[in-house]
Amino acid sequence: MLFRSIAYKEDMLLEEGVLPVRSMVVLYSMPLKEVIKNFTPHQYHNIQIVDEHMKVKGILTESQIVKGVMNFNINVPIGRLLNK
């Protein structure tokens, strides 16, 4: 389902030439599966990762999250992807 959604978004971008962006802020300890649950169709996602003190640790794109799922697993904390 996840990969089908990503492929759909790529096709939509190529066809339309534009795709709205949705930004999210998540704690660095949040598992990828919880982040992905907040993805919406017809929008590309940029995710700002913060620590428990609300200090920005980094920014990841939806594509980077999907690669993280493939390289690790869906239960890995999103902060782990910042080290790659």
Side-chain angles (χ1 to χ4, degrees):
M1 177 72 175
L2 173 65
F3 300 108
R4 190 174 347 146
S5 174
I6 297 299
Y8 169 76
K9 290 177 185 184
E10 289 174 0
D11 290 345
M12 188 172 147
L13 179 60
L14 291 172
E15 184 177 314
E16 303 285 329
V18 64
L19 189 62
V21 173
R22 178 175 179 222
S23 296
M24 295 187 289
V25 177
V26 301
L27 286 173
Y28 69 98
S29 59
M30 181 174 275
L32 295 178
K33 68 179 174 184
E34 297 302 320
V35 176
I36 292 168
K37 284 181 184 179
N38 289 284
F39 285 0
T40 56
H42 310 293
Q43 293 182 325
Y44 189 79
H45 299 84
N46 288 323
I47 299 94
Q48 190 172 41
I49 297 94
V50 298
D51 65 16
E52 64 275 357
H53 303 290
M54 300 305 289
K55 181 178 177 190
V56 176
K57 301 307 242 174
I59 299 173
L60 296 172
T61 65
E62 182 172 325
S63 297
Q64 290 171 305
I65 301 296
V66 172
K67 286 179 186 173
V69 169
M70 291 187 301
N71 291 333
F72 297 102
N73 68 59
I74 202 153
N75 295 309
V76 168
I78 192 168
R80 174 107 184 256
L81 303 184
L82 294 175
N83 301 326
K84 299 296 170 195

